[in-house]
Amino acid sequence: MTFEEVLDFITTTDAKVDWKGISTDWSSEYFLTEDPRLRFRMNYLEDGLQNSNFVEPWANCHADTKARGYWCDLYYDGSFIDRLILVAVDGGRSLLPAPEAGTLEVLKYNYCVAEIHDTLNTLTKYMKRSKLAVRDS
């Protein structure tokens, strides 16, 4: 499978059925149930922090205006494959995918990754509040 095929495959999975994992105060790890070698890892400590004061209008428009960016890393069989940013908004009530620079459009792959990490089921609500839209391609 090529890099692009892996990313495209992830968009065809069901975040709540096909992925399992665990989150703690300091990290989270989600794996594909049909092939646990495919997994996402996030570290909420210093190593995983992309930006402790993430400032973008879409991220800071909530009751708690502070936002933090975290690296979300994709691995296959222990090998690093990809990295993207998920942003904790409104006091950590939701993890939003960062949109393309200069837009409010989120790639479908990035949205699907945020869905996998949406343990509080708040992604849809916060996407709307932030005026973020999913771009299909």
Side-chain angles (χ1 to χ4, degrees), residues 32-44:
L32 184 66
T33 56
E34 76 178 44
D35 186 354
R37 294 175 297 175
L38 186 63
R39 58 185 57 224
F40 287 99
R41 292 182 185 148
M42 288 181 66
N43 177 350
Y44 302 118

Side-chain angles (χ1 to χ4, degrees), residues 12-74:
T12 67
T13 64
D14 183 312
K16 302 303 179 210
V17 174
D18 298 328
W19 295 87
K20 299 290 181 227
I22 189 166
S23 289
T24 66
D25 288 342
W26 58 89
S27 69
S28 68
E29 190 157 332
Y30 288 87
F31 61 89
L32 184 66
T33 56
E34 76 178 44
D35 186 354
R37 294 175 297 175
L38 186 63
R39 58 185 57 224
F40 287 99
R41 292 182 185 148
M42 288 181 66
N43 177 350
Y44 302 118
L45 301 176
E46 198 68 29
D47 293 355
L49 197 56
Q50 181 266 344
N51 188 334
S52 64
N53 187 26
F54 194 96
V55 178
E56 286 288 336
W58 60 268
N60 308 115
C61 65
H62 307 286
D64 183 338
T65 59
K66 182 139 174 84
R68 299 179 82 140
Y70 293 97
W71 297 115
C72 181
D73 296 332
L74 175 64

Side-chain angles (χ1 to χ4, degrees), residues 104-107 127 131-135:
L104 293 175
E105 294 182 332
V106 172
L107 294 176
M127 288 281 292
K131 297 182 175 46
L132 296 176
V134 179
R135 189 177 79 195

Side-chain angles (χ1 to χ4, degrees), residues 59-103:
N60 308 115
C61 65
H62 307 286
D64 183 338
T65 59
K66 182 139 174 84
R68 299 179 82 140
Y70 293 97
W71 297 115
C72 181
D73 296 332
L74 175 64
Y75 292 87
Y76 184 75
D77 202 21
S79 296
F80 177 74
I81 303 291
D82 192 31
R83 172 174 268 187
L84 61 118
I85 299 168
L86 293 181
V87 181
V89 300
D90 200 14
R93 290 176 182 86
S94 190
L95 279 172
L96 296 179
E100 295 284 353
T103 76

Side-chain angles (χ1 to χ4, degrees), residues 90-124:
D90 200 14
R93 290 176 182 86
S94 190
L95 279 172
L96 296 179
E100 295 284 353
T103 76
L104 293 175
E105 294 182 332
V106 172
L107 294 176
K108 184 175 181 181
Y109 165 72
N110 293 19
Y111 177 81
C112 291
V113 174
E115 235 182 350
I116 291 166
H117 289 82
D118 185 25
T119 58
L120 299 176
N121 296 315
T122 57
L123 179 61
T124 301

